[in-house]
Amino acid sequence: SKPALQASVDYNHESGLYAGIWGANVSGDAYAGGNLEIDIYGGYNGKINDDWGYTAGFLHFMYPGANYNKTTYVALPSQRYNSTEVNVGVNYKWVSLKVSQTIGDLLGFNENTGYTSGTRGSTYVDLSANVPLAEDWTLGLHAGRQHITATTVAPTLGGSTTPDFTDYRLSLTRTLPQGWNVSAAYTHHSNPEFWNRSVSPNNVNDTYDIAKDHWVLSVGRTF
């Protein structure tokens, strides 16, 4: 529920190859010792015809300076949050379906950080649509399903050991002159029993609700 500054640089070649880097500030209450997320990604976007297309790529996200061993109230071994995913997808006009899978542990979830096993092979299925409306408005619809290949050894404060969740997003975006855009979105996250009342790595008595519904307002510019 705090402001975030995000920026990205993208390169798209006429052959369909693409690459980019994205960054945003994050909370140290979610990532011990961290305040920045940097994503590096690349891949290929192909076209079957004017309506159908496909994609394949990778995404590596990292949190400089963040490590589980910086949690203040429990001794944890050195373990970074960094993760890498590969993905494939298909799109029809303004509807897309993409599946991503981790090739290592997801966010450092493994036996060292309270899980029953490593989480390699965790998958995320993303079904999205960007419906064009009149006067440069776009309606965004999204549903995603995250499956994590392990459970936690001990239950959370909500009594759950299963971290799998489904998330939803409804948004309205308007494109403005000179590359500006504005949007408003509403997000919903399932499985509050696991994700709500998450304990901050800085204070065992400080909790926050990851699965809480949110309104997100944003202003951006592309140039």
Side-chain angles (χ1 to χ4, degrees):
S1 300
K2 297 180 180 179
L5 179 64
Q6 304 175 350
S8 64
V9 177
D10 295 282
Y11 174 75
N12 294 282
H13 191 267
E14 60 183 9
S15 66
L17 293 171
Y18 72 91
I21 184 171
W22 176 93
N25 60 296
V26 297
S27 173
D29 285 330
Y31 306 97
N35 54 28
L36 178 66
E37 176 180 343
I38 297 176
D39 296 356
I40 299 172
Y41 46 87
Y44 179 81
N45 291 322
K47 187 176 180 181
I48 300 172
N49 54 40
D50 289 341
D51 292 332
W52 288 92
Y54 60 93
T55 187
F58 77 93
L59 167 65
H60 176 68
F61 44 104
M62 51 190 173
Y63 304 87
N67 197 300
Y68 281 88
N69 65 9
K70 295 183 180 180
T71 301
T72 60
Y73 53 84
V74 63
L76 294 174
S78 178
Q79 176 64 61
R80 296 188 180 276
Y81 295 85
N82 302 351
S83 305
T84 303
E85 298 176 342
V86 292
N87 58 74
V88 294
V90 62
N91 64 279
Y92 175 73
K93 294 185 177 180
W94 33 261
V95 180
S96 65
L97 176 66
K98 183 166 70 173
V99 179
S100 302
Q101 185 174 77
T102 58
I103 59 176
D105 290 330
L106 175 64
L107 293 171
F109 297 160
N110 56 37
E111 298 92 336
N112 293 330
T113 55
Y115 281 75
T116 54
S117 67
T119 50
R120 180 177 181 175
S122 296
T123 57
Y124 185 75
V125 180
D126 178 339
L127 177 62
S128 297
N130 291 300
V131 185
L133 305 176
E135 299 184 5
D136 297 320
W137 286 94
T138 300
L139 173 66
L141 305 169
H142 160 81
R145 178 65 181 175
Q146 176 74 65
H147 170 64
I148 298 174
T149 58
T151 60
T152 54
V153 175
T156 62
L157 293 177
S160 175
T161 60
T162 304
D164 292 5
F165 64 85
T166 303
D167 67 277
Y168 305 92
R169 187 174 189 267
L170 173 67
S171 66
L172 270 177
T173 302
R174 188 176 188 187
T175 302
L176 301 173
Q178 299 181 343
W180 289 94
N181 64 79
V182 294
S183 72
Y186 184 76
T187 63
H188 175 75
H189 189 295
S190 72
N191 197 4
E193 293 81 8
F194 186 92
W195 292 103
N196 283 355
R197 299 172 68 193
S198 294
V199 180
S200 166
N202 302 313
N203 186 340
V204 70
N205 297 313
D206 187 10
T207 63
Y208 55 100
D209 294 339
I210 294 179
K212 184 179 179 180
D213 291 0
H214 281 286
W215 281 99
V216 182
L217 305 177
S218 65
V219 177
R221 189 183 184 193
T222 302
F223 53 90

